[in-house]
Amino acid sequence: MANGTNIRAAKFRPSTLPQFPLASLCQDFVDGFCRRGDECTKSHDVCAVPNEIPGSPVLQCSANLLSLEPRFSPRDSLPFDKDGPGQLSRYGPRHDNDHGRIQHIKILPTTDEILCRRKPYIPAKDQSVGHHLPCGQQRLLDVQFRQLRFDNVEPIIDSCYHASQQLTQWISTPPVLDYDDRMNTPKGGRYSLFRDIAFEETIMSFKGAVTFRVSFACPKALRGLRLGPSKHLEEGMLVALVGLDEADALSTTFMVIEQRQTTFAMKARTGNDLRASVVLSLTDTSDTDAVRRMLYNSKGAAQERFGLVEFPNVLYVGFYWTLKDLQNKSASDKDLAFITSIAPSTAGSSPEVSTPEYTNVDNFAFQLNSLRKKGDAAYTSSLTLRPRELVSDNEAKIIAIDDLCQETTLDRGQATALCENLCRGFAFTQGPPGTGKTFLGVALTKVLLESRGHISRRPILVVCTTNHALDSFLKDIQQAGVTNLVRLGGNSKETWTKALSLRAAARGFKKTTLERSREGQAHRQVEGLTTEGTSWCESLNADVPSWPAVRELLQSRYPAILKCFAGLEKVDSSRLSDIRLARKAGGFAFEFWGTGGDINDLDRLLEKFSSMLGNQYEFQDDADDGDLQTKYRVLDNVALNAAHIAASDPPTGCDVWRLALKERQHLLNRWKEEIDPHTILDRIAEIHRRHQVAVSKRYEVHQDIHARCLRDQDVIAMTMTACAMNSSMLNQLDLQTVICEEAGEAMEAQTLCTLFPSVKHAIFIGDPLQLRPQVNEPALSLETSIGASYRLDESLMERMMVPSIPGVQPIVSSRLDLQRRMHPDIADLMRATLYPFLQDHEVARSREPVAGMLDRVWWLDHQMPEDTPDPGSSMAKSFSNAYEVEMVVGLVEYLISSNEYDYQAITILTPYNGQLAALTHRLSGTCSLWLSEKDRESLLLEGLLEPEEASFGTKADINLASMLKLATIDNFQGEESKVVILSTVRSNFEGRVGFLKTPNRINVGCSRAKNGFYVVGNATLMSAVPMWRQISMNLSAKRRIGPAFRACCSRHPGKVYQVQSPEQWYDIPESQPAEKNSIVVIHVQELATSAAIVLRVSSLARDLVAMVAVQDHAAAYATRNIDLMHTKLSRKMNMFMKQLYDAKTRLDESFNDFCERLKPGPLAGRNNADLVRYRGNTLAEIQSSIIDFKNHVVQLFEDDIARLAGFLDISSVSADGFPDINLCYRLRFEALFFRCRLIILEESLRMRRTLRSMDDDSEHTTVLIRGLQSLTRDEANTNIKALNSVITECETKNLKRLEAEIRLVQMCFHILLKHLGAASHLKVEDSLRRTLSLCRTYPDSAGIFLMTYNAFNLVLSGEQRHGSLYTRGSRRIWWSWPAHEVGNLKECVYGHQYSTSTWTGCPECGREVPPSPKPEPVSPKKFLKEDAFVAAMQTQTFSAASYRS
């Protein structure tokens, strides 16, 4: 084991490239493209270019060392240091990233910062507390930056430190195949650590420059298909490569995942199912040393052992751009909007509010006509509002509000808030639950747009905290008639928002000539560097010298030989298009020479030139490149150059074109030895640096163009993260008006990013009494005693409206007071605690009572203790309560049994993931469950939900009406439901209340219900919290709290049932499980004995249970659950079929690209093999998914139904009182599997045909061709044999359509063997005869394959080359499966299940048409006239002709 006391941050070796002064370098070449080429007088050498932009100052501090002791104690009372930052600290800088100015701080931690044991400097928010900067904007930005950075970076530092300790422990031990990647730090952080890292290849991409594919030993739990749904290593996630070298120096390189490959996809590379891989790009692309470190390790020039650290709870993009924008604002000399109110220069100053600056002109008035009621009589005058008049005259304000109430649909609170928001430049509005905050925001948007002619034509900026809230607001804006709007950011879940994207807006936008020129130049610079970098990276991967490396060697040592190659590439230097085209094919002469090409063979030489153009497949097409005249002109130049070089007489030893192939390869090896490998790696790193500079310039050009496009919009909408990301572009727009929705949920740092210097009117709508922004570190939260001084989770809205500093007055604000959501009985809870002013709208007062319940509001008070999980289990870090789970489940089932509600009308809320997981497991088999993306991901990351369970509850899974909503309180703000059941979970003797001690969270939990609200919890424990105590007292006064629910029977109105335990729900007559659509626990009990037989239920139907005491209930159970499973399995079949069809379409569309990327010759062997391997693995994951689902879900389900039928002594086909049992789902999934195999083998045959057409005799190509032929031959015969047993089952089950389809698939495999000239085990004539008989006898089912049969018959006879299974008729039946609606399942006479909502008859057997009797031969002698004979013949052959058509 490495000595932990000596491990410190590594410093990478300096670059081997020389540094030239900038004056001697060609700037065009450095930027990526020089049109002068070799005629340029300045240097085109790849060198280390001096950095013109000064970086962060270097801090001199003592080295920090890694300790094997825990980094911090979880119970540290003071986690922060008040001693100043960097040089301002009494003890000097803590580490090399401890700067005094925030613009010098690297956002992600350095290795030295990770190793630092001193506590970080985090300033408090209170202005009365000491700080190294005076009060004002700089101090505000400094505090917000350091707090937000610590909140997001501390978990990363904690995980990396712990990972480094783990690395030192197993670095000297042999690799372990089966290990647990899940790690827990002493502080409680969770991360994943993957071992045995290996670099597979280096890739040059157009946008990200140098990226790396690295593989790792995949833990057993993530092998195969499990990686996909596990949420591990998803695209865009932040990871770190933590490395330890031989000198005990530690490095940390932060990267972002661009792509991942499962063990199935990697099997072709590794030969086993043990390794997976990811493609990584650097988070800081300007860090050349990090690029060099990765390059050196990829080629073994540096010896580091790495671990791959994944941070599952870190959303890198979510905080990076906000912090970056705060740095930019700190470096700027411009003030934020309303800075004197937000950060006054004098501590303790109260904010001042004035009218918007643009309204301070004479006679200015807002136009309110767009708010008037529709359909009313024509108005004689305009409805206007004059801010200056309303501010100075309260009576005028009252009149304006009265007019709004009379002429618009606004209630008085909304009308008042609208007037006040228009009259205040810095406006805040509090909206309690259900009061119409979004409605007010839409009204303000309409007014501001209508009044733009009187203000300015600049767009209005609309921002929200989440994508969900933004989409909801945009939907309302659209419905209000606003159409000219753009949504920035691409993380919306709603498909309709694509039409609002910037890309969609730019389609009709006409660029100027200058913009097109700048865009083209910027693109060419990136393209040129990508071309050069790709060549270097390909040579690095193939371990052969690339043309750029050889060119530099020849230029310095063998200039005469260089002329033999470079001379072929010379073109007319006065034509830019010719230069660019020749550059794309750069090195074609060297490649041609390396494969043994003859310079006199002009046809093959020019063919090589054209193929090199096609290899630049990542580049965008350009008009110049596509110009045929340019291409022909360049080809003519190449031909002339070749003729000139062939006729020349080079010096002795330089006539490389006359060397034999073996001599050329020997010369190549000699050149390879002369090239310094370190120099190659450093050159790639420098090209990467230049590439990123060019990418930045190209991005700036696009930003300028997009800014001009956005100026023409009315509304620009985005999340706050997108606002920070696009701040440079938005700054160009000089925006004047900002509307912020859900402002109470936004961190102050995020809000500051919206207050551009040009903003004159900012409107914030939200509720500071609902959920606060979420933070990771408790020490920064208002909910802890330590965090009260830091208050990172205090929004700007809360700080301004509810100031915590003594003597500071709250900012003048508005509030809404009329709620339309909650019935008054529910709203009383809010009035008794937080909103005494809240009023009820008529809509709320008319809410219907909850059917079957005596009370619409009730608190079930209990003393049942919370669960005590195993300390090592996944539940150990969360809380659950089994009693509450069963009571909640019973209540849900009872409400559903009333037939008044569907599952969609009910929502279960809980504060804990542990309880959410327990409820999910308990209910997942009963109905589809709706879980928010955040809740679903949290359960997966914490190990509370298995990956195979993650597919439950998606909105596409089943009809939305049968989806029960489960949510944590924190992820349900802004939502509502008819009935809400709140499980508080905590019940203990220690008096620990947990999450529900915060009024904001209690507020959200108690204000989501419209008709009924039920709390299940320990009231005595909860009453320790003041707000819960008020709620408890309010309910006690109304006698709505007690140890049992009070259910009432609709048949016996005077009868009330007390339900105190879960089993008592079944004592109520209406809730008998056998009669209701209920939670079913199956215990089939024999009348003769008391022994129960508990059926094993499949993973998809797990927890589908009901208490059934007699056999009569089995029919209802089977019918209902086969119906439900039919829906789910049909959707799954459709999903797999669509994946197959899409994959085949992608293979067809990309085939030409594949052909262009193939290269002849020995140098291209590895490249060709990788292309074939990657293409052959395209369907590997789909195939494995089908197998896994068939074996672990479908097969188990059919086995369970068969076991139930066997126990009840029921026929496998039909029985009285029981549904026919002839399930054929497994066979349909078998058909999907063999279709998948067929596509794979068809593609293998097509790739083999392409490789043979290259006329390449090299060993690599020959091996590839033979391998593809052997694979196709063996697999096709294996599949033909396997299909025979499937056909036998289809015949036994009378599946006529499926049998016909399977036989045609079998014929496809036979046709593949025929193309290969290989023998087949299929009896072709018998199979054809049987297939034709099926198609004719069963025209409504198997008949859909008649056209396919005829096509295959022609292929087999040699009249046609290709036949396809993917005809319209064959696809139609697969696309029709998911159209089934629950309740419409029917069985045919053979017991096949089919949906009457889709088909009128069984799609598997259909009606039987008896064969026509064989007609007698027609003799021409019977007919005197020729036309009569022809008519008879036409009549006799009509049937066959119709079939052939």
Side-chain angles (χ1 to χ4, degrees):
M1 184 178 73
N3 186 355
T5 58
N6 294 325
I7 296 176
R8 63 187 66 202
K11 293 184 179 179
F12 203 64
R13 68 190 74 175
S15 173
T16 60
L17 296 179
Q19 277 210 7
F20 295 156
L22 285 174
S24 65
L25 299 176
C26 172
Q27 189 60 45
D28 290 337
F29 176 77
V30 170
D31 289 342
F33 178 75
C34 177
R35 63 179 296 172
R36 293 177 294 277
D38 294 336
E39 298 178 4
C40 183
T41 58
K42 292 194 173 184
S43 173
H44 281 193
D45 294 332
V46 177
C47 61
V49 180
N51 193 354
E52 297 175 292
I53 303 174
S56 303
V58 178
L59 295 176
Q60 299 297 328
C61 57
S62 57
N64 292 290
L65 303 178
L66 178 69
S67 169
L68 298 184
E69 297 297 323
R71 177 171 166 264
F72 280 128
S73 169
R75 293 189 175 90
D76 273 351
S77 59
L78 191 62
F80 309 131
D81 190 353
K82 297 182 180 180
D83 191 23
Q87 302 292 356
L88 298 177
S89 171
R90 290 173 293 174
Y91 307 103
R94 298 163 180 79
H95 45 75
D96 60 3
N97 199 29
D98 187 24
H99 297 282
R101 301 185 65 185
I102 62 173
Q103 52 264 47
H104 293 153
I105 298 176
K106 293 183 178 179
I107 291 176
L108 289 174
T110 63
T111 305
D112 193 47
E113 182 178 3
I114 292 170
L115 296 178
C116 180
R117 303 275 293 176
R118 286 174 58 187
K119 295 176 182 178
Y121 167 68
I122 304 297
K125 184 180 283 188
D126 290 345
Q127 292 183 337
S128 59
V129 179
H131 193 279
H132 64 284
L133 292 173
C135 296
Q137 176 169 308
Q138 288 300 321
R139 175 169 174 168
L140 172 69
L141 295 172
D142 183 272
V143 170
Q144 291 297 325
F145 177 89
R146 293 183 190 274
Q147 288 191 11
L148 181 60
R149 180 179 183 272
F150 177 81
D151 186 56
N152 288 280
V153 170
E154 170 59 22
I156 298 174
I157 294 176
D158 188 46
S159 298
C160 287
Y161 195 93
H162 188 263
S164 302
Q165 293 174 323
Q166 298 298 312
L167 186 63
T168 62
Q169 294 178 22
W170 51 257
I171 195 169
S172 58
T173 60
V176 179
L177 293 179
D178 294 331
Y179 65 94
D180 191 353
D181 62 288
R182 296 170 296 181
M183 294 288 171
N184 294 294
T185 70
K187 194 178 178 183
R190 294 176 177 176
Y191 70 98
S192 292
L193 179 60
F194 299 98
R195 303 183 180 186
D196 193 16
I197 306 302
F199 288 84
E200 298 290 338
E201 63 178 328
T202 306
I203 307 165
M204 188 76 180
S205 67
F206 186 80
K207 293 182 179 179
V210 177
T211 59
F212 303 90
R213 184 186 302 279
V214 300
S215 64
F216 57 90
C218 188
K220 189 174 182 179
L222 296 177
R223 290 175 194 162
L225 299 174
R226 301 183 192 94
L227 182 60
S230 69
K231 298 293 182 181
H232 278 289
L233 303 173
E234 290 189 309
E235 181 179 334
M237 288 187 70
L238 180 71
V239 295
L241 281 175
V242 178
L244 191 65
D245 64 18
E246 295 173 332
D248 279 354
L250 189 74
S251 68
T252 309
T253 308
F254 290 100
M255 311 188 88
V256 173
I257 296 177
E258 300 290 340
Q259 180 190 359
R260 67 177 174 184
Q261 281 189 310
T262 64
T263 55
F264 282 116
M266 284 291 292
K267 187 174 182 180
R269 285 177 177 266
T270 61
N272 56 52
D273 285 331
L274 302 177
R275 298 187 68 81
S277 73
V278 286
V279 176
L280 304 175
S281 63
L282 272 78
T283 55
D284 183 3
T285 53
S286 64
D287 189 352
T288 309
D289 281 346
V291 179
R292 291 176 56 243
R293 181 185 299 279
M294 295 296 102
L295 288 168
Y296 272 62
N297 278 283
S298 69
K299 298 307 295 181
Q303 299 294 329
E304 289 186 72
R305 291 282 299 276
F306 287 98
L308 180 65
V309 183
E310 179 192 21
F311 312 101
N313 295 315
V314 174
L315 185 60
Y316 172 64
V317 175
F319 68 86
Y320 173 81
W321 289 108
T322 301
L323 292 172
K324 193 68 179 175
D325 194 40
L326 292 178
Q327 287 181 319
N328 294 336
K329 283 177 166 53
S330 178
S332 172
D333 57 354
K334 294 183 178 180
D335 287 340
L336 298 176
F338 313 109
I339 191 62
T340 55
S341 296
I342 298 172
S345 57
T346 304
S349 300
S350 299
E352 296 181 359
V353 177
S354 59
T355 57
E357 185 179 318
Y358 61 79
T359 66
N360 295 332
V361 295
D362 293 338
N363 298 321
F364 177 86
F366 285 107
Q367 305 298 311
L368 310 179
N369 298 305
S370 58
L371 301 182
R372 279 175 159 159
K373 297 175 183 177
K374 306 296 182 184
D376 285 6
Y379 296 99
T380 57
S381 61
S382 295
L383 185 62
T384 60
L385 185 149
R386 301 182 183 277
R388 296 171 65 182
E389 186 177 306
L390 266 62
V391 169
S392 60
D393 188 349
N394 190 58
E395 186 176 344
K397 177 181 175 180
I398 294 173
I399 294 173
I401 293 171
D402 290 340
D403 291 343
L404 279 171
C405 292
Q406 182 179 354
E407 299 186 24
T408 72
T409 57
L410 298 171
D411 61 50
R412 190 159 195 85
Q414 291 169 339
T416 303
L418 182 128
C419 290
E420 292 174 347
N421 276 275
L422 293 176
C423 294
R424 297 169 186 159
F426 199 32
F428 291 86
T429 298
Q430 178 191 14
T435 52
K437 294 184 289 293
T438 301
F439 186 77
L440 173 64
V442 172
L444 285 164
T445 303
K446 292 171 65 176
V447 170
L448 291 168
L449 287 176
E450 186 183 3
S451 309
R452 267 205 322 173
H454 303 270
I455 308 170
S456 71
R457 297 301 300 174
R458 298 184 183 95
I460 296 172
L461 177 63
V462 172
V463 291
C464 295
T465 309
T466 63
N467 283 287
H468 175 72
L470 181 65
D471 292 339
S472 177
F473 190 60
L474 283 180
K475 192 72 174 177
D476 290 340
I477 289 178
Q478 276 192 319
Q479 292 175 352
V482 179
T483 57
N484 193 23
L485 54 91
V486 167
R487 186 194 193 281
L488 296 186
N491 292 324
S492 172
K493 303 294 183 183
E494 305 291 341
T495 55
W496 57 267
T497 59
K498 291 181 180 178
L500 307 180
S501 66
L502 180 58
R503 177 177 294 182
R507 289 194 191 108
F509 180 72
K510 187 174 181 180
K511 300 173 186 175
T512 65
T513 303
L514 179 60
E515 286 172 341
R516 288 196 300 271
S517 174
R518 291 182 62 207
E519 189 177 33
Q521 183 179 359
H523 175 79
R524 287 192 295 271
Q525 290 173 350
V526 177
E527 182 186 63
L529 287 165
T530 309
T531 305
E532 189 172 1
T534 300
S535 180
W536 285 93
C537 289
E538 286 180 351
S539 68
L540 199 64
N541 296 329
D543 203 25
V544 296
S546 67
W547 169 238
V550 171
R551 181 188 178 103
E552 290 190 15
L553 175 71
L554 298 180
Q555 189 172 17
S556 61
R557 300 185 185 182
Y558 312 106
I561 296 179
L562 176 62
K563 292 181 180 179
C564 296
F565 296 126
L568 285 170
E569 301 177 7
K570 287 187 177 180
V571 293
D572 186 354
S573 60
S574 64
R575 294 182 180 270
L576 182 61
S577 58
D578 292 16
I579 297 173
R580 292 181 56 211
L581 197 65
R583 183 170 183 173
K584 274 192 177 183
F588 81 94
F590 172 71
E591 292 273 354
F592 184 65
W593 174 83
T595 57
D598 184 357
I599 194 172
N600 294 307
D601 189 350
L602 285 180
D603 290 339
R604 295 194 63 183
L605 178 65
L606 297 179
E607 183 180 341
K608 182 65 179 178
F609 179 88
S610 298
S611 68
M612 292 287 284
L613 290 178
N615 286 334
Q616 309 303 331
Y617 48 86
E618 290 193 44
F619 304 151
Q620 298 178 359
D621 294 330
D622 190 274
D624 289 335
D625 295 350
D627 183 40
L628 290 177
Q629 292 183 356
T630 301
K631 183 174 181 179
Y632 292 146
R633 188 167 54 245
V634 173
L635 288 174
D636 288 343
N637 279 339
V638 172
L640 292 173
N641 295 336
H644 175 73
I645 292 174
S648 63
D649 187 16
T652 304
C654 297
D655 192 2
V656 292
W657 286 103
R658 295 180 184 178
L659 297 177
L661 180 59
K662 288 186 177 180
E663 293 175 312
R664 297 182 186 187
Q665 291 176 345
H666 176 73
L667 188 58
L668 273 173
N669 291 331
R670 196 181 82 189
W671 289 345
K672 179 181 176 181
E673 293 174 358
E674 293 182 37
I675 299 172
D676 180 9
H678 291 176
T679 304
I680 293 178
L681 299 173
D682 288 338
R683 282 189 169 95
I684 295 177
E686 178 58 26
I687 291 171
H688 166 91
R689 191 198 67 78
R690 297 181 184 182
H691 181 278
Q692 287 306 292
V693 172
V695 167
S696 298
K697 292 181 179 178
R698 180 173 179 265
Y699 178 76
E700 292 172 3
V701 171
H702 284 162
Q703 291 266 291
D704 293 343
I705 297 173
H706 291 158
R708 194 169 70 84
C709 176
L710 291 175
R711 287 191 184 96
D712 297 332
Q713 306 301 319
D714 289 336
V715 174
I716 304 173
M718 67 196 76
T719 62
M720 290 189 170
T721 300
C723 185
M725 187 184 303
N726 294 282
S727 61
S728 61
M729 176 176 65
L730 296 173
N731 263 317
Q732 300 181 46
L733 302 180
D734 290 333
L735 299 168
Q736 285 196 345
T737 308
V738 176
I739 299 177
C740 178
E741 265 268 332
E742 302 285 357
E745 282 190 273
M747 285 191 173
E748 182 169 349
Q750 295 176 312
T751 309
L752 295 179
C753 295
T754 68
L755 297 178
F756 300 99
S758 59
V759 171
K760 310 299 181 187
H761 194 178
I763 299 171
F764 296 91
I765 304 172
D767 187 2
L769 298 183
Q770 294 190 54
L771 288 181
R772 291 190 175 105
Q774 295 183 6
V775 297
N776 301 312
E777 291 297 319
L780 292 173
S781 173
L782 270 165
E783 298 181 13
T784 64
S785 57
I786 297 176
S789 298
Y790 297 91
R791 306 194 304 279
L792 178 62
D793 55 348
E794 179 184 55
S795 64
L796 178 65
M797 173 177 245
E798 182 175 1
R799 180 164 75 87
M800 301 302 292
M801 293 180 63
V802 192
S804 57
I805 302 175
V808 176
Q809 297 298 315
I811 195 169
V812 179
S813 60
S814 308
R815 72 182 183 195
L816 307 179
D817 55 13
L818 186 65
Q819 68 90 17
R820 293 166 172 80
R821 175 187 297 163
M822 301 167 281
H823 185 273
D825 289 352
I826 305 172
D828 283 344
L829 303 179
M830 299 293 97
R831 278 187 283 268
T833 52
L834 299 175
Y835 309 106
F837 55 85
L838 197 61
Q839 302 174 39
D840 302 316
H841 191 273
E842 181 60 35
V843 172
R845 289 195 292 269
S846 61
R847 298 286 183 199
E848 296 179 353
V850 179
M853 298 296 290
L854 190 64
D855 311 279
R856 71 165 73 240
V857 180
W858 186 263
W859 186 329
L860 178 71
D861 181 20
H862 70 86
Q863 302 296 319
M864 300 298 288
E866 64 197 48
D867 301 338
T868 306
D870 182 353
S873 71
S874 58
M875 297 288 288
K877 294 191 176 182
S878 191
F879 296 93
S880 62
N881 190 309
Y883 170 78
E884 292 190 13
V885 169
E886 294 303 323
M887 287 303 294
V888 168
V889 166
L891 176 56
V892 170
E893 175 52 26
Y894 174 71
L895 293 175
I896 294 297
S897 71
S898 69
N899 293 322
E900 295 291 332
Y901 303 102
D902 52 32
Y903 286 107
Q904 185 189 14
I906 303 172
T907 297
I908 303 173
L909 295 182
T910 179
Y912 292 101
N913 281 337
Q915 187 77 341
L916 186 68
L919 288 162
T920 301
H921 293 312
R922 183 68 175 80
L923 289 163
S924 60
T926 304
C927 61
S928 290
L929 304 178
W930 182 92
L931 292 173
S932 71
E933 282 295 318
K934 287 185 178 180
D935 281 333
R936 190 187 304 274
E937 290 179 7
S938 295
L939 294 182
L940 282 169
L941 292 173
E942 293 181 20
L944 299 173
L945 189 68
E946 294 300 321
E948 57 266 22
E949 297 175 298
S951 60
F952 286 124
T954 57
K955 290 187 177 181
D957 189 51
I958 203 169
N959 192 330
L960 191 62
S962 59
M963 295 181 73
L964 178 68
K965 292 182 181 179
L966 299 180
T968 55
I969 295 173
D970 287 5
N971 290 322
F972 206 67
Q973 177 156 318
E975 304 286 344
E976 61 185 18
S977 183
K978 282 187 177 180
V979 177
V980 172
I981 307 170
L982 174 62
S983 171
T984 63
V985 181
R986 303 306 300 271
S987 181
N988 51 72
F989 296 110
E990 295 82 5
R992 297 191 300 266
V993 177
F995 285 157
L996 282 181
K997 66 184 178 182
T998 309
N1000 303 66
R1001 192 171 279 114
I1002 301 171
N1003 181 9
V1004 174
C1006 296
S1007 61
R1008 304 298 100 192
K1010 296 194 290 186
N1011 292 31
F1013 177 56
Y1014 301 97
V1015 182
V1016 182
N1018 187 329
T1020 304
L1021 176 69
M1022 291 295 158
S1023 294
V1025 178
M1027 185 168 174
W1028 279 123
R1029 186 163 57 251
Q1030 289 177 295
I1031 292 174
S1032 175
M1033 292 170 60
N1034 180 276
L1035 294 176
S1036 297
K1038 299 178 181 179
R1039 297 184 179 181
R1040 290 176 178 170
I1041 186 171
F1045 281 118
R1046 301 192 295 185
C1048 56
C1049 177
S1050 58
R1051 298 179 183 177
H1052 310 92
K1055 179 66 174 176
V1056 176
Y1057 295 87
Q1058 300 286 332
V1059 182
Q1060 189 170 359
S1061 60
E1063 61 271 11
Q1064 289 177 336
W1065 287 112
Y1066 301 104
D1067 295 336
I1068 306 172
E1070 278 76 11
S1071 65
Q1072 290 293 337
E1075 303 294 331
K1076 307 300 173 191
N1077 182 14
S1078 58
I1079 301 171
V1080 198
V1081 177
I1082 300 268
H1083 287 278
V1084 180
Q1085 185 176 5
E1086 294 185 87
L1087 293 175
T1089 68
S1090 59
I1093 297 178
V1094 182
L1095 296 178
R1096 177 174 61 85
V1097 188
S1098 68
S1099 61
L1100 187 63
R1102 185 175 61 247
D1103 298 328
L1104 274 173
V1105 264
M1107 301 295 278
V1108 179
V1110 291
Q1111 283 188 349
D1112 294 342
H1113 298 308
Y1117 158 73
T1119 300
R1120 175 176 178 271
N1121 288 289
I1122 291 176
D1123 198 348
L1124 287 172
M1125 290 297 290
H1126 182 87
T1127 302
K1128 294 176 180 291
L1129 297 180
S1130 296
R1131 291 181 183 277
K1132 204 71 175 178
M1133 283 190 293
N1134 175 262
M1135 182 195 77
F1136 283 137
M1137 189 62 183
K1138 185 177 187 305
Q1139 289 178 356
L1140 288 178
Y1141 186 73
D1142 291 345
K1144 181 171 174 59
T1145 302
R1146 288 194 301 271
L1147 286 172
D1148 292 340
E1149 291 174 348
S1150 63
F1151 186 71
N1152 289 336
D1153 182 46
F1154 165 76
C1155 295
E1156 292 177 354
R1157 293 164 69 175
L1158 290 174
K1159 300 179 183 178
L1163 296 179
R1166 178 171 176 177
N1167 173 70
N1168 293 346
D1170 287 344
L1171 289 173
V1172 170
R1173 187 182 301 113
Y1174 177 78
R1175 196 167 179 83
N1177 288 332
T1178 302
L1179 276 78
E1181 289 195 44
I1182 301 176
Q1183 174 183 295
S1184 300
S1185 298
I1186 295 172
I1187 295 173
D1188 190 66
F1189 189 80
K1190 175 178 70 71
N1191 293 340
H1192 296 100
V1193 176
V1194 184
Q1195 184 67 62
L1196 291 180
F1197 171 70
E1198 292 195 0
D1199 289 348
D1200 289 337
I1201 295 297
R1203 193 172 292 107
L1204 178 61
F1207 170 74
L1208 297 173
D1209 194 23
I1210 291 174
S1211 166
S1212 61
V1213 175
S1214 64
D1216 294 338
F1218 196 84
D1220 299 330
I1221 305 296
N1222 192 2
L1223 304 179
C1224 30
Y1225 301 109
R1226 178 181 56 80
L1227 291 175
R1228 291 177 185 140
F1229 281 93
E1230 293 275 13
L1232 283 171
F1233 167 75
F1234 285 106
R1235 275 181 176 255
C1236 185
R1237 293 300 306 156
L1238 178 61
I1239 295 173
I1240 294 172
L1241 295 187
E1242 285 177 338
E1243 190 59 30
S1244 298
L1245 183 66
R1246 184 160 61 163
M1247 289 191 291
R1248 171 185 171 273
R1249 190 181 301 124
T1250 303
L1251 288 167
R1252 291 185 64 185
S1253 68
M1254 290 169 56
D1255 294 329
D1256 182 12
D1257 297 331
S1258 64
E1259 182 180 356
H1260 288 287
T1261 303
T1262 304
V1263 169
L1264 272 178
I1265 293 172
R1266 290 175 180 172
L1268 289 171
Q1269 178 170 335
S1270 176
L1271 170 72
T1272 308
R1273 182 188 63 243
D1274 296 344
E1275 286 291 319
N1277 268 317
T1278 300
N1279 292 325
I1280 287 174
K1281 291 180 181 178
L1283 283 168
N1284 287 330
S1285 61
V1286 180
I1287 290 172
T1288 302
E1289 282 196 75
C1290 290
E1291 291 174 341
T1292 304
K1293 289 177 173 284
N1294 289 295
L1295 299 170
K1296 309 303 181 183
R1297 182 205 64 80
L1298 195 56
E1299 181 189 346
E1301 179 178 354
I1302 294 295
R1303 287 185 178 277
L1304 289 170
V1305 173
Q1306 201 177 38
M1307 286 182 205
C1308 288
F1309 288 119
H1310 172 81
I1311 291 171
L1312 291 179
L1313 292 171
K1314 182 180 178 182
H1315 287 317
L1316 288 173
S1320 168
H1321 298 293
L1322 180 65
K1323 296 180 180 179
V1324 183
E1325 295 299 328
D1326 292 347
S1327 186
L1328 284 173
R1329 192 179 303 110
R1330 172 62 177 169
T1331 306
L1332 180 59
S1333 175
L1334 289 169
C1335 293
R1336 288 179 172 177
T1337 309
Y1338 302 95
D1340 297 336
S1341 54
I1344 64 173
F1345 293 107
L1346 192 57
M1347 291 180 63
T1348 307
Y1349 164 82
N1350 287 327
F1352 283 8
N1353 204 7
L1354 293 174
V1355 172
L1356 292 169
S1357 64
E1359 299 179 39
Q1360 184 173 309
R1361 183 169 180 80
H1362 299 293
S1364 175
L1365 278 173
Y1366 293 89
T1367 61
R1368 181 180 302 175
S1370 64
R1371 291 201 307 267
R1372 178 174 54 83
I1373 195 164
W1374 287 97
W1375 297 158
S1376 300
W1377 287 116
H1380 172 63
E1381 296 178 2
V1382 176
N1384 291 331
L1385 192 67
K1386 186 178 180 180
E1387 296 83 28
C1388 72
V1389 293
Y1390 293 112
H1392 307 144
Q1393 289 75 33
Y1394 70 94
S1395 175
T1396 56
S1397 58
T1398 308
W1399 293 289
T1400 56
C1402 178
E1404 290 295 354
C1405 50
R1407 63 186 176 90
E1408 182 176 355
V1409 178
S1412 303
K1414 186 176 180 180
E1416 296 181 2
V1418 179
S1419 173
K1421 296 179 180 179
K1422 295 183 180 180
F1423 299 92
L1424 298 176
K1425 295 184 179 181
E1426 182 180 355
D1427 56 351
F1429 171 72
V1430 172
M1433 290 297 296
Q1434 288 176 339
T1435 303
Q1436 177 179 346
T1437 58
F1438 174 78
S1439 179
S1442 64
Y1443 277 120
R1444 283 195 297 272
S1445 64

